[in-house]
Amino acid sequence: MAGWRVKLPSFGTKPMFALSGPLPAAPPPTPVADQLSHLFYSALETQSADDLIEFAEFCARFRRFSVFNARLIQTQRRGARVVASVKEWRATGRYVLPDARPIIILMPFAPVVHVYEIEDTGPPIDRDAMNDPFAATGPIPAETLIASIDRLVDKCLASNQYRIHIERDRMGYDLAGTAAGQGRLNLPVPQPRPGEEHGFVVSQELEGVKVQGKNARKHDRWVPVWRVKVNDRLTPAQQLAAIAHELGHIFCGHLGGCGGFRDTSGWPDRRGLDHNVREMEAEAVAWLVARRAGLETQSAAYLKRHVEAGSTFMVDVGLVERAASRIESMAALRYAAGR
């Protein structure tokens, strides 16, 4: 949320008040902890997101899928909201896009039937107009946002501390992105700088050993690997917010820890954290990244049920702030926002 919109009441043509003298100085920035508290409070005050009411009649006309077919749909398209055949979509005034990916289900007296999820149909759905939880808007040009995402992708692959593969993938309407661990990667130990041959220390915290001195050249080290997928049907602004959310899960330790390499820039293993707290932290990271970049999101609407079910006192504000700063730095978002 880039800023607050205040609508002052007006009566007649006379102003409510007049200002004399110079304007007061701008207040100091609000601490991150206070900003997050306001975000969580807003989540409790926000009504639930729109559930595509305009498609309710269409959904009511759907034939009922068997449990087996429902499972097939879920397996092939996580986050699916509505699926139908080409003919059924046409009957509702929508059409299947040329690059749509069919979902295969079984039907009586037929081998297989292809159905398509609503994200693979047109015309495009305006998430912003529907107060959708994944909506994100702002004045930043799409080309600038895409460039920031590309920088973020490159930086996540160039780190000596970890590897994060970020890729676009086809997902259902109700899923913006996913993040998962992919094991470990064996990387060669970098050569020591001149003059450090005898003092060069390589920390291999995942293996529980340390290799020191010249022998460090003969050893490799393991780094954790994660994979982030983002819905390729989202706009660049929505994709950036979704990627920041998934990276928030990783950098806050929800999917495992990461030991620092020659510094303390890693994060702890917090996989045992409550699900609602994990979602609060990840969305808080996305909200901070988007807000500082000049994007307005529906984070409060997304967080509503998690704030109601979880405890905001368990949120680690320090980790949230570090994660947001890491993402902002890698994507050069302050530059993207024209600051």
Side-chain angles (χ1 to χ4, degrees), residues 148-149 151-157 162-167 177-180 226-230 239-256 267 278 281-286 289 319-320 322-324 326-331 333:
S148 293
I149 294 174
R151 281 192 293 268
L152 191 56
V153 171
D154 294 339
K155 291 289 186 179
C156 284
L157 288 176
Y162 54 82
R163 288 288 188 274
I164 302 177
H165 300 271
I166 302 176
E167 59 189 43
T178 62
W226 290 275
R227 184 177 301 277
V228 169
K229 294 185 178 181
V230 60
Q239 287 187 20
L240 178 61
I243 292 173
H245 178 99
E246 303 305 331
L247 289 178
H249 278 303
I250 296 174
F251 294 149
C252 288
H254 304 161
L255 300 175
W267 54 87
R278 294 200 303 267
E281 290 186 346
E283 187 60 21
V285 171
V289 170
L319 278 179
V320 168
R322 283 176 54 189
R326 187 192 302 267
I327 296 169
E328 183 180 72
S329 175
M330 290 192 298
L333 279 171

Side-chain angles (χ1 to χ4, degrees), residues 7-46:
K7 184 176 181 181
L8 297 175
S10 177
F11 301 93
T13 58
K14 296 182 178 180
M16 292 282 294
F17 54 85
L19 294 176
S20 59
L23 292 174
T30 306
V32 172
D34 294 340
Q35 296 181 40
L36 296 183
S37 297
H38 187 276
L39 171 65
F40 297 143
Y41 179 80
S42 300
L44 288 173
E45 296 296 318
T46 303

Side-chain angles (χ1 to χ4, degrees), residues 90 183 216 225 262 305 312 315 322:
R90 287 175 179 170
V225 180
R262 301 187 68 185
R305 63 186 178 90
T312 59
V315 172
R322 283 176 54 189

Side-chain angles (χ1 to χ4, degrees), residues 71-89:
R71 178 60 176 165
L72 287 176
I73 294 170
Q74 181 188 37
T75 301
Q76 297 172 77
R77 190 65 52 84
R78 290 185 58 189
R81 168 68 71 91
V82 182
V83 297
S85 65
V86 174
K87 183 178 180 181
E88 289 171 327
W89 281 123

